[in-house]
Structures are given as C-alpha cells and as structure tokens.
Amino acid sequence: MTCTWGSRETLTTNFSLYYWYENRSPVVECKHYLQDQGVSVGCRFNQSEIVQFQPFRVRVNASLDGKTLEIPSERMELQDLVKPEAPVNLTIHNLSSNQLQLTWSSPYPKAQCLEHAVKYKSNKDTTWTEHKVKGEIFSFPSVDYEKYYTFYVRSKINSYCGSTQLWSEWSVPVVWGNNATSEGTAEEQLHWFWIHTVLIPITSCLLLLVLVILLVRMERVWVIFMPRIPNPSKNFDELFITHKGNFQEWTGVPKDVVESFKPNYNESVCYVSELPPKESYEPFWGSTDQLLAVPGASAGTREHGPHKNSYVGA
C-alpha cells in the first residue's frame, strides 16, 4: 500500500507520516518513505503492516520554519481503498470451431475477493464491448475467422471483501484471429483447420459406412425372424403392362399349338316339316288302321273319309 501527498515540484518542505489503527495499536511513523530527489512524497506499507477491516487513521506533520504543522486525516477503511494490480498471463484457448476461452491470473493474493471486467473489440468494430466476470475465465461464444480480436482485463475488489470503485489498470492486451501475431494463436488456428478440413470429414464418412453396414445386417436379421409375405401381383405386371393381357405372348406358346385346341368340325342342319293333307291319300296296305311314320308330323289321329289314319311324328 502506498500513501502519497504530492511531488517534488509542488512541495517546499519535508513531510512525515504517522499512522495507527483504532483500538488496536499505538501511533507509528512510516518506515519506508518514497523519495523524489531527496524530498519525501509518500509512504509505502508492507503487507505485514496492513490490517484490513480495521479503521485506519494517518497524520502528516510538516516542518516549516522550525515549526511543526499537523495535518490530520479522516477515518478510512482500507478494504474500500484497495486498487489491485493489473491481471497478467492472458491466454486464449480454442474450445471449438467458433468458441474461445480467455484465462488470466492476478497478483493479488486473495483471488476470491476480486471481480473482473473483460473488454474486447474486433478490427471491424468501432466500439469496445465490456463484460463483468466473477472468476478468471471468460468464454467468447462466437468468433469470426475473418476478423482478429483484441482483449483486455482489469480487476477490482468485489462486494464481499469491500466497497470500492477503484479498478486496476487494464492488462497488457492479447490478440486472436486473422493477422494475429501470436505464434501460439497461429498454431491453434492451424490445429483447428486440420481438424475441420481433414479429421471431421473422414470421421463422418466412417460413421456413415458403419451405419450402412449395421442397417444391412439388421435387414437380414429382420427377414429371418419376420419373413415377408409374398405378393404374387408383381409376377403379372409383365402380362398386363407389357403384353396388354395377351396370354399367348406372355407364355410364349406357338400359334400352331393354340390352333390345335380350337374345334375344327361342322354339323349339318336338318330341316323337319309336316306334309300337307290330301283328300285322295290312301295307304297302299288297305283300310286297316296302321301307324304311319311321317317326318315333321306330330303324334295324333286324322280322319280321311270313312277311314281313320293314325301317325306318329318322328
């Protein structure tokens, strides 16, 4: 901790500083003065001399013309006056094809008492973007490989360990992306380029091949356990589509074989008619009743004069 009260150009006399903690220790003079060409301009306190969460008071005495002037100070809380040193060791890691992770460390011994701010900007941005971070890790979810980014980090005491608005100075910047000069960043970009252009396509093809083989094997197993029901309709597609229902063309039977199955005989027509009646008709065998077979006549009896003739139509 340092306590300053001016510079050599503004001071015309030497000052001495005394400090103490309320209800704790006696008044003690500064052991490590800050000098500017022989003039005391401040006091430096070692860590062993600092007690946080205890009210702190200082008194500055000025010697002028043989007289001592006492300049009292107000009551102060040291935890509210801490200004941490700037973070160091900023490092960028590639988590995936479009995600970055920024890490750093702080010289302040109590890391749990710090909160941080990260600001970044690409070469195509006009303003800085700032995010508050509790830990010493910041994830940048989306990056553009056509840009390069500049990152800064600063720290201050959080609300659990003090009440202050004193931020540290911004850290030394770290740069990532296209046109970046960091050798480690270039190696990481080459590494990810090899992964995206070679490893990922080959791995995808191998996985696809394995899936095809598994599907083929599963199809065979499925056919064994669940055989398909045959569908005979597909066997007649050629008959109705190609040959348009011509069974002879579909089966390939020769024409002479087909003709041999057709009937090749004719039956003559036989006409049957009835003889007209005649008055002078007499049977040549006499007057005795006889049966007469007449083609085309119906069975019956007809009288001719005094005689009766019976006949049967055949």
Side-chain angles (χ1 to χ4, degrees):
M1 182 176 68
T2 58
C3 179
T4 59
W5 49 78
S7 63
R8 182 179 181 279
E9 289 76 12
T10 59
L11 296 176
T12 58
T13 183
N14 278 328
F15 290 83
S16 57
L17 181 141
Y18 299 86
Y19 70 95
W20 69 97
Y21 295 93
E22 290 185 358
N23 305 322
R24 181 178 178 88
S25 63
V27 178
V28 180
E29 185 179 0
C30 174
K31 299 178 181 178
H32 309 283
Y33 283 104
L34 301 177
Q35 300 287 328
D36 185 3
Q37 297 184 6
V39 178
S40 298
V41 295
C43 178
R44 180 175 62 85
F45 298 85
N46 293 330
Q47 184 176 358
S48 60
E49 299 172 315
I50 300 173
V51 180
Q52 295 191 45
F53 303 101
Q54 292 291 331
F56 179 74
R57 288 185 178 272
V58 296
R59 184 181 73 241
V60 178
N61 295 339
S63 300
L64 182 61
D65 297 333
K67 296 181 180 180
T68 300
L69 300 179
E70 186 175 298
I71 306 174
S73 69
E74 298 180 357
R75 182 175 181 268
M76 295 176 288
E77 300 289 343
L78 295 183
Q79 67 272 8
D80 298 337
L81 301 174
V82 176
K83 180 181 179 181
E85 294 186 29
V88 295
N89 299 329
L90 272 67
T91 308
I92 295 179
H93 308 276
N94 286 86
L95 296 183
S96 63
S97 59
N98 60 350
Q99 187 176 10
L100 301 179
Q101 185 182 76
L102 174 65
T103 61
W104 61 89
S105 59
S106 176
Y108 190 71
K110 298 180 180 180
Q112 70 276 11
C113 287
L114 294 179
E115 65 178 86
H116 311 276
V118 177
K119 74 173 183 179
Y120 60 88
K121 184 179 72 171
S122 73
N123 59 322
K124 297 183 180 180
D125 295 331
T126 56
T127 58
W128 292 92
T129 302
E130 186 171 338
H131 289 281
K132 298 293 181 61
V133 183
K134 291 184 178 181
E136 295 181 345
I137 297 177
F138 172 71
S139 295
F140 192 63
S142 180
V143 295
D144 187 350
Y145 279 87
E146 298 299 324
K147 302 177 182 179
Y148 68 91
Y149 299 84
T150 303
F151 295 88
Y152 288 89
V153 182
R154 65 178 180 175
S155 307
K156 81 176 186 69
I157 299 298
N158 59 31
S159 59
Y160 298 103
C161 298
S163 177
T164 179
Q165 297 300 321
L166 296 175
W167 284 93
S168 70
E169 301 297 330
W170 288 105
S171 66
V172 176
V174 63
V175 180
W176 181 94
N178 191 21
N179 296 331
T181 58
S182 174
E183 181 180 356
T185 301
E187 291 179 356
E188 289 182 352
Q189 288 182 350
L190 181 61
H191 172 72
W192 282 106
F193 175 79
W194 183 84
I195 290 177
H196 283 280
T197 57
V198 179
L199 185 60
I200 292 180
I202 293 177
T203 304
S204 301
C205 293
L206 290 176
L207 288 176
L208 183 60
L209 181 61
V210 171
L211 288 176
V212 171
I213 294 174
L214 289 177
L215 287 176
V216 172
R217 290 185 175 274
M218 289 300 295
E219 181 71 15
R220 292 179 178 178
V221 173
W222 184 257
V223 169
I224 294 174
F225 287 99
M226 296 290 292
R228 295 177 180 176
I229 299 175
N231 185 6
S233 63
K234 296 182 179 180
N235 299 329
F236 297 98
D237 289 343
E238 185 179 0
L239 171 63
F240 295 102
I241 296 175
T242 305
H243 300 284
K244 298 181 179 180
N246 192 324
F247 185 81
Q248 176 187 344
E249 293 182 0
W250 180 64
T251 57
V253 179
K255 287 185 177 182
D256 54 349
V257 176
V258 176
E259 293 294 335
S260 65
F261 285 99
K262 293 183 179 180
N264 57 357
Y265 61 91
N266 294 320
E267 183 178 0
S268 59
V269 179
C270 178
Y271 298 94
V272 179
S273 62
E274 181 181 1
L275 292 175
K278 292 183 179 181
E279 295 293 333
S280 62
Y281 176 78
E282 291 289 340
F284 62 89
W285 55 76
S287 59
T288 308
D289 293 338
Q290 298 289 336
L291 291 174
L292 177 64
V294 182
S298 300
T301 303
R302 189 180 298 272
E303 294 183 359
H304 300 279
H307 302 284
K308 292 181 181 180
N309 294 327
S310 299
Y311 58 90
V312 177

